[in-house]
Amino acid sequence: ILFKALCDSSSIKAEVISGKSKTSASQVGKAYKGDHAWNSVYLDDKWQMLDVTWASGYCDDSVKKFTKKYDEGYFLTAPNKFVLQHYPDDTKKILFPNPPSETQFFSYPLAHSGFYKNEIISFSPMNGIIEGKIGNKITFEIRTPENESSISVGTKKGSNEVKIKKQEKIITYEYIVTSDKDDVLTIYLNGEAV
């Protein structure tokens, strides 16, 4: 609301958008109610997305302590990437053709700020819940603008560097399921959780 007021006082078109945000792996695959608001701003003859709250820092899990940490990944983010963490109550505010359904949004994996910093173009699988049996191989693919990248994969037990295959700007790697227990898999690209 403050950002919109600043834009209004500067004669810049802006809107406050309410909806759902994805901040935790525990939200993946589950429906939940809206809990957040962000902005769109009209610049360079088009509407663009931004979240000044997330760009300024973050709160601890109990929401009692705020840590300042500037993150430009949430400013003027491409709408098709922004929707990985932000789903508006009014789907006309998604700003690109053929937007995902709310059900698709709920199923997306959790995107971290490193996703934006590393300028990831695309990834697969797009589903945030992946089932596998011990010994199964799960293939992941990340397309980035950079040719050189390092990847590690983390679970609740720690993280390990993984062998990757690179073909131009596409990074492919296989993860082997080692446990029959549910776990959270976090992918790190160039040291940043993505």
Side-chain angles (χ1 to χ4, degrees):
I1 298 174
L2 176 60
F3 179 81
K4 182 177 181 336
L6 290 170
C7 287
D8 289 347
S9 70
S10 301
S11 300
I12 298 171
K13 290 183 195 175
E15 294 185 359
V16 175
I17 300 172
S18 297
K20 297 156 189 71
S21 64
K22 190 177 293 182
T23 59
S24 168
S26 65
Q27 293 173 299
V28 175
K30 298 176 185 170
Y32 52 91
K33 295 183 187 254
D35 61 353
H36 191 52
W38 54 92
N39 298 96
S40 63
V41 62
Y42 194 75
L43 296 173
D44 299 327
D45 297 320
K46 63 182 176 183
W47 284 99
Q48 300 186 57
M49 308 304 293
L50 60 149
D51 188 332
V52 295
T53 304
W54 287 11
S56 65
Y58 58 91
C59 289
D60 65 1
D61 289 337
S62 64
V63 193
K64 292 182 179 177
K65 180 183 176 196
F66 179 77
T67 301
K68 291 181 188 178
K69 185 177 180 192
Y70 175 70
D71 188 341
E72 66 185 44
Y74 296 108
F75 283 111
L76 309 181
T77 310
N80 65 327
K81 293 180 181 179
F82 201 78
V83 76
L84 295 173
Q85 290 183 302
H86 299 78
Y87 197 85
D89 293 333
D90 179 356
T91 56
K92 292 176 190 159
K93 306 291 184 190
I94 293 178
L95 304 182
F96 65 94
N98 303 314
S101 68
E102 187 176 65
T103 302
Q104 287 172 304
F105 168 77
F106 290 136
S107 74
Y108 286 158
L110 175 64
H112 298 271
S113 65
F115 180 88
Y116 307 105
K117 287 179 189 172
N118 283 287
E119 300 177 1
I120 291 175
I121 297 165
S122 63
F123 63 92
S124 71
M126 287 288 292
N127 195 340
I129 297 180
I130 303 167
E131 295 184 20
K133 296 181 180 177
I134 294 176
N136 285 158
K137 291 181 183 178
I138 301 169
T139 302
F140 292 87
E141 183 178 286
I142 299 174
R143 181 183 298 264
T144 69
E146 299 290 324
N147 279 326
E148 293 302 317
S149 301
S150 66
I151 289 188
S152 60
V153 176
T155 64
K156 292 177 189 171
K157 297 176 186 172
S159 65
N160 297 311
E161 195 79 18
V162 294
K163 291 183 180 181
I164 60 175
K165 296 177 188 172
K166 292 183 188 179
Q167 183 178 5
E168 295 183 21
K169 297 176 182 179
I170 301 173
I171 302 165
T172 305
Y173 64 96
E174 290 182 338
Y175 177 79
I176 299 173
V177 177
T178 59
S179 172
D180 59 356
K181 304 227 184 306
D182 289 349
D183 205 350
V184 174
L185 184 69
T186 303
I187 299 165
Y188 298 85
L189 181 61
N190 300 322
E192 296 263 2
V194 294

